[in-house]
Amino acid sequence: MSRHLTQRLAFGLLILATLATTVPIVLIVGYIAAAGLPAISLEFLTAMPRDGMRAGGIWPAIVGTLLLTAGTAVVAVPLGIAAAIYLAEYAKDTPLTRAIRIAIINLAGIPSVVYGLFGLGLFVLFLGFGTSILAGSLTLAIMTLPVIISTTEEALRAVPQAFRVVSISLGGTKWQTIRRIVLPQALPGILTGVILGLERAAGETAPILFTAAAFFLPRLPNSPLDATMALPYHLFVIATQVPGMPVQIQYGTALVLLVFVLSMNFFATIIRSRARARRQW
Amino acid sequence: MKIVIEHLSVQYDDGTESLRDISLTIPANQITALFGPAGGGKSTLLRALNRLNDLVDGVRVTGRILLDGEDIAGPGVNVTALRRRVGMVFAQPVPLPMSIRQNITYGLELAGVRERAKLTAAVEKSLRAAALWDEVQDRLEAPATALSGGQQQRLCLARVLALEPEVVLLDEPTSGLDPISTAKVETSLQAIKRDYTVVIVPHSVQQAARIADLAAFFLQGELVEAGPGQQLFLTPKDQRTNDYITGRFG
């Protein structure tokens, strides 16, 4: 076989592989958009569900997902960034810190339903939060932490060591160096990781299944100790648990969840590309 | 005498020795050049003078370094204050990812200086001392990375001078620069020694001979000999020094 032919063949295979991964995504998103769009109306987005969820809107589920995501962010973002700063900037290479790193990597691989059961045991039952936004947010936060910690640590380590040495040599303390040089330079990377982590939390069903989600609750939550409806769980419910459910409402709900998650993704991409264009190293 | 080094040794955890029992006196307001082949311990000595060796794990320093009679090598030294008194310019110019002006004011702001007038004055004064003012005065807000390599290195010198240190350390500051930029840096070193004590690891024997008031020859962690530049380069006492400066090795 001539080298040119090999080249063409390899090139063709690579294009095929790319198409094989992107085409299904486009088809799925396109299909859900086409099937769900007719259901979208102001009422659908802002009204309470009626007739056993077969009519009306999904307002409480939207609010619930927003609250759960916000609650997750409040807990996981400061904790995750602080842990990453410790690991990247302060922790020496000891058996203990190596064990912590391995634990974090492994935590990221744990199935989300296990987090759900853990949240049920610790937050709902043992700490007595009940099925609530608080318990759900804490469970989602624990699930999201490994993602935030490892992406933040990576972003911090990507900042050139020379900047740190220069800052120290100019009489800076370690913390001054981190706050004034390292963190600002790593911020776009950190934000990207945070958004991707929260995006996963927003779309998860299993962790909130036992900790926060209500099957049908046609009112908005009053306190963090209230249970709530949420988009992913609501979708699961109306797709499998309610007989005689109009298909349109199912796809409409899926579309809202998809738009919510994809717009977070889009936001992360914009932050990253703008930072890359501005970066001086 | 600005700095008196007494029996200084630097060892690493793995047993290797970077400096062995160095004693050297560095006079104020002169240029002292530490020269010799790579791996001789010159940079390690520079980094001992402003405690940058502290950043490396597993380094053990013994002996004394007296700055104006006060030991700066031992424990209990305020190292951030020390680093403001003993500034450092590195081989690779590393402008911080900010504007030219912010690069100069960075160290002062870390030290708690807030007054705008003071900062503005420091920017002009230090850029003039580093012979860079004429080239950048119209674009102080431009990113420092937009400067050429030679300009960046003079910016790094200006950044150190802005802190008004007593001692300026330079670790092969012209190794990446063309001859014209090198000459500019050397000229500004000659100019600043009136106000500062300068310790430089030159990037060649020729540069050492051009600028050294006092020269010290290092070989494999040992200080072979030290003396006034004129005398050391014309009539070295030690055969090894003679071999090195006449180009027999190195």
Side-chain angles (χ1 to χ4, degrees):
Chain A
M1 216 168 10
S2 80
R3 290 189 304 140
H4 287 288
L5 198 63
T6 319
Q7 164 86 355
R8 284 199 157 174
L9 208 68
F11 195 53
L13 281 172
L14 291 174
I15 287 183
L16 260 172
T18 312
L19 288 179
T21 50
T22 46
V23 167
I25 294 175
V26 172
L27 285 180
I28 290 170
V29 173
Y31 183 74
I32 289 176
L37 217 47
I40 305 292
S41 65
L42 194 64
E43 196 210 354
F44 185 70
L45 293 175
T46 59
M48 298 293 165
R50 281 182 283 111
D51 299 343
M53 295 181 271
R54 291 182 194 86
I58 56 170
W59 177 236
I62 293 177
V63 171
T65 287
L66 286 174
L67 287 175
L68 283 168
T69 310
T72 305
V74 166
V75 179
V77 171
L79 213 57
I81 292 179
I85 291 176
Y86 169 73
L87 285 175
E89 304 290 332
Y90 288 98
K92 297 218 161 90
D93 190 27
T94 64
L96 177 70
T97 57
R98 252 173 281 158
I100 293 177
R101 276 207 184 79
I102 290 171
I104 289 168
I105 292 168
N106 282 319
L107 278 174
I110 289 180
S112 55
V113 68
V114 177
Y115 282 105
L117 279 172
F118 174 76
L120 172 69
L122 180 64
F123 301 122
V124 177
L125 301 175
F126 182 73
L127 293 175
F129 296 155
T131 303
S132 62
I133 295 176
L134 179 64
S137 295
L138 289 170
T139 308
L140 287 171
I142 290 180
M143 186 193 76
T144 313
L145 268 175
V147 181
I148 294 183
I149 292 174
S150 42
T151 49
T152 301
E153 194 185 347
E154 212 171 295
L156 293 171
R157 284 184 193 282
V159 177
Q161 185 62 23
F163 290 165
R164 296 180 179 84
V165 177
V166 164
S167 174
I168 298 276
S169 79
L170 290 170
T173 62
K174 187 150 194 163
W175 176 242
Q176 281 178 321
T177 301
I178 292 169
R179 197 174 56 79
R180 303 187 58 131
I181 302 284
V182 181
L183 273 180
Q185 292 302 311
L187 193 61
I190 295 173
L191 280 179
T192 309
V194 163
I195 293 174
L196 292 179
L198 292 178
E199 172 194 320
R200 195 186 151 206
E204 276 288 352
T205 312
I208 57 171
L209 188 59
F210 321 116
T211 58
F215 184 82
F216 177 66
L217 191 71
R219 61 171 176 84
L220 296 184
N222 293 322
S223 91
L225 290 171
D226 269 4
T228 180
M229 295 182 79
L231 282 171
Y233 182 64
H234 182 63
L235 182 58
F236 166 74
V237 165
I238 60 177
T240 60
Q241 311 291 307
V242 184
M245 194 70 205
V247 175
Q248 227 182 45
I249 290 190
Q250 295 172 4
Y251 278 104
T253 307
L255 181 61
V256 172
L257 179 59
L258 204 61
V259 166
F260 187 67
V261 169
L262 286 184
S263 56
M264 285 173 83
N265 211 332
F266 183 67
F267 200 57
T269 311
I270 286 183
I271 291 177
R272 197 167 33 191
S273 60
R274 284 184 63 177
R276 221 171 256 169
R278 261 204 327 260
R279 188 151 77 180
Q280 296 173 26
W281 38 277
Chain B
M1 289 302 112
K2 189 68 187 173
I3 302 173
V4 179
I5 301 165
E6 291 174 349
H7 303 292
L8 183 77
S9 292
V10 177
Q11 287 174 316
Y12 294 99
D13 262 358
D14 58 11
T16 54
E17 219 168 14
S18 185
L19 283 175
R20 199 172 322 126
D21 196 19
I22 304 294
S23 293
L24 177 67
T25 299
I26 295 171
N29 301 104
Q30 297 205 356
I31 298 180
T32 299
L34 317 175
F35 74 106
K42 304 157 292 179
S43 294
T44 309
L45 179 54
L46 275 195
R47 284 162 183 264
L49 294 179
N50 72 346
R51 295 286 292 265
L52 279 182
N53 285 328
D54 290 11
L55 301 185
V56 186
D57 287 338
V59 179
R60 229 180 64 230
V61 179
T62 54
R64 299 206 302 167
I65 301 173
L66 305 176
L67 176 63
D68 289 336
E70 186 189 335
D71 188 13
I72 56 167
V77 175
N78 180 346
V79 289
T80 55
L82 169 69
R83 289 177 188 138
R84 285 183 199 117
R85 293 173 67 194
V86 184
M88 175 99 153
V89 177
F90 299 90
Q92 290 295 322
V94 178
L96 293 171
M98 41 182 83
S99 73
I100 294 171
R101 190 180 54 75
Q102 286 167 323
N103 260 277
I104 306 287
T105 56
Y106 181 76
L108 290 167
E109 286 169 9
L110 292 184
V113 178
R114 290 280 174 272
E115 301 91 318
R116 213 157 243 282
K118 227 176 185 175
L119 293 173
T120 310
V123 169
E124 178 169 349
K125 189 176 172 212
S126 57
L127 283 172
R128 280 190 192 281
L132 188 58
W133 175 254
D134 292 339
E135 292 159 61
V136 301
Q137 57 167 315
D138 304 327
R139 46 178 180 140
L140 291 175
E141 303 306 325
T145 40
L147 297 172
S148 74
Q151 290 172 327
Q152 286 185 7
Q153 195 57 300
R154 277 176 284 149
L155 177 70
C156 292
L157 177 59
R159 186 167 67 185
V160 168
L161 296 182
L163 287 168
E164 301 193 334
E166 299 158 35
V167 182
V168 178
L169 312 173
L170 303 106
D171 190 358
E172 303 197 22
T174 58
S175 59
L177 304 187
D178 61 81
I180 295 170
S181 302
T182 301
K184 282 185 182 170
V185 171
E186 288 180 13
T187 309
S188 49
L189 291 184
Q190 295 291 358
I192 65 167
K193 76 175 182 186
R194 249 175 296 132
D195 302 312
Y196 305 93
T197 300
V198 178
V199 185
I200 182 172
V201 174
H203 85 267
S204 66
V205 179
Q206 289 78 3
Q207 185 174 52
R210 275 199 303 274
I211 60 172
D213 297 314
L214 181 88
F217 178 58
F218 285 80
L219 188 61
Q220 290 166 3
E222 243 176 289
L223 174 59
V224 176
E225 71 172 293
Q230 299 291 346
Q231 175 238 303
L232 192 131
F233 288 107
L234 294 175
T235 55
K237 291 194 200 97
D238 194 288
Q239 186 60 37
R240 290 170 292 174
T241 316
N242 188 49
D243 287 352
Y244 183 71
I245 60 183
T246 55
R248 231 161 276 177
F249 74 97

